[in-house]
Amino acid sequence: MYKQNNYKILLNELIAKSVYKMVLEGDTQYITAPGQFINIKLDGKFLRRPISVCDYDDKTITIIYKVVGSGTEQMAEMQAGESLDILTGLGNGYTINDCQNPLLIGGGVGVPPMYNLCKKLIEANQQPTVILGFNTKDEIFYEEEFRKLGADVRVTTVDGSYGIKGFVTDAFPEAYDYFYTCGPMPMFKAIESKAVTSGQYSFEERMGCGFGACMGCSCKTKYGSKRICKDGPVLVREEIVW
């Protein structure tokens, strides 16, 4: 179930190169799983902007977004005190699997949904390893936040300016019993070729409505067509057609 409401901006700050953290105050009851997303209405824009939920509690939603176009440029200029028309509770989110040592892999703006998921896994007495993948040092965000949760955190940069030089697959631990990931398709294909367990992928896809009506984000799976916005964005490894 999703819900449309107005949310007050409490914070909107730059946290890395072109990356902003926004905290919104309002009704969060329709967010029920890590990995769900919200859809933001912006003045002058025909389509809403889908942004994954980084964290939430009973009063606030935290999102992290990268400025990549006119919509996110508009968001970056917003100030505390302004309000936004938002649809919440969209998407299926991650299912918490019964395991001991899960692996969480986030690439760039695929990092945010890993944060609340990491919280939930630790609350379930699991011991996650988190890999955060970026192109370069000035793009890195939330490394310390994950460490404060108690996770084993590994950071990779393509240019080697920080952490492990290379890609997220260069930082895989020797032992893990399940994986969760969110990021770009090239990263997914690299993970798919290396991962040795089952897992869940959260897909980034252009969307129209965000709640399954327009069929604009439909994709094929082994069990028929699914809508990334409603049946996803999270798909289980075994159902994905690459």
Side-chain angles (χ1 to χ4, degrees):
M1 179 182 290
Y2 66 91
K3 183 70 173 179
Q4 179 179 358
N5 266 315
N6 286 321
Y7 292 75
K8 180 181 178 182
I9 299 173
L10 299 181
L11 175 74
N12 191 28
E13 64 176 4
L14 184 70
I15 61 171
K17 183 181 179 181
S18 302
V19 176
Y20 287 77
K21 173 182 177 180
M22 181 182 284
V23 180
L24 300 153
E25 181 181 50
D27 187 1
T28 66
Q29 65 177 306
Y30 296 95
I31 302 173
T32 58
Q36 288 185 298
F37 66 96
I38 64 175
N39 226 359
I40 302 174
K41 183 177 181 181
L42 298 171
D43 291 341
K45 305 298 181 186
F46 178 68
L47 294 176
R48 291 175 180 263
R49 266 46 181 184
I51 306 287
S52 61
V53 174
C54 175
D55 199 15
Y56 66 98
D57 56 29
D58 58 353
K59 294 181 179 178
T60 65
I61 300 170
T62 299
I63 60 172
I64 292 174
Y65 63 95
K66 185 173 184 177
V67 175
V68 294
S70 60
T72 43
E73 284 177 357
Q74 194 171 323
M75 289 174 58
E77 295 172 358
M78 293 178 175
Q79 304 294 319
E82 294 185 52
S83 63
L84 284 170
D85 179 321
I86 296 175
L87 296 177
T88 63
L90 299 172
N92 61 347
Y94 292 102
T95 300
I96 302 299
N97 193 59
D98 184 16
C99 58
Q100 293 299 313
N101 301 108
L103 175 60
L104 280 61
I105 314 152
V109 290
V111 166
M114 297 290 103
Y115 183 73
N116 185 260
L117 173 62
C118 187
K119 267 189 176 181
K120 294 289 194 293
L121 294 172
I122 289 173
E123 288 171 3
N125 295 316
Q126 298 183 24
Q127 297 178 311
T129 297
V130 178
I131 303 175
L132 309 177
F134 302 94
N135 289 314
T136 187
K137 182 179 180 179
D138 60 4
E139 296 178 357
I140 296 170
F141 61 89
Y142 258 53
E143 176 188 4
E144 289 308 312
E145 283 81 354
F146 278 98
R147 292 193 193 282
K148 289 176 182 177
L149 293 180
D152 172 15
V153 181
R154 306 176 181 197
V155 179
T156 67
T157 52
V158 175
D159 65 0
S161 55
Y162 185 90
I164 299 167
K165 182 177 181 178
F167 302 100
V168 293
T169 47
D170 294 312
F172 269 43
E174 289 187 7
Y176 60 96
D177 51 6
Y178 199 78
F179 72 88
Y180 304 86
T181 184
C182 183
M185 187 59 72
M187 186 186 87
F188 281 1
K189 291 184 176 180
I191 291 169
E192 183 63 18
S193 67
K194 182 160 185 172
V196 296
T197 69
S198 182
Q200 297 173 38
Y201 291 84
S202 179
F203 284 82
E204 300 173 348
E205 185 65 60
R206 294 187 67 86
M207 298 177 186
C209 66
F211 47 82
C214 73
M215 306 297 289
C217 60
S218 181
C219 71
K220 291 181 179 180
T221 75
K222 292 178 182 178
Y223 310 113
S225 293
K226 289 194 173 184
R227 297 158 294 181
I228 291 298
C229 71
K230 186 173 178 66
D231 306 311
V234 179
L235 299 178
V236 178
R237 183 183 191 184
E238 288 75 14
E239 68 181 310
I240 299 169
V241 175
W242 297 102

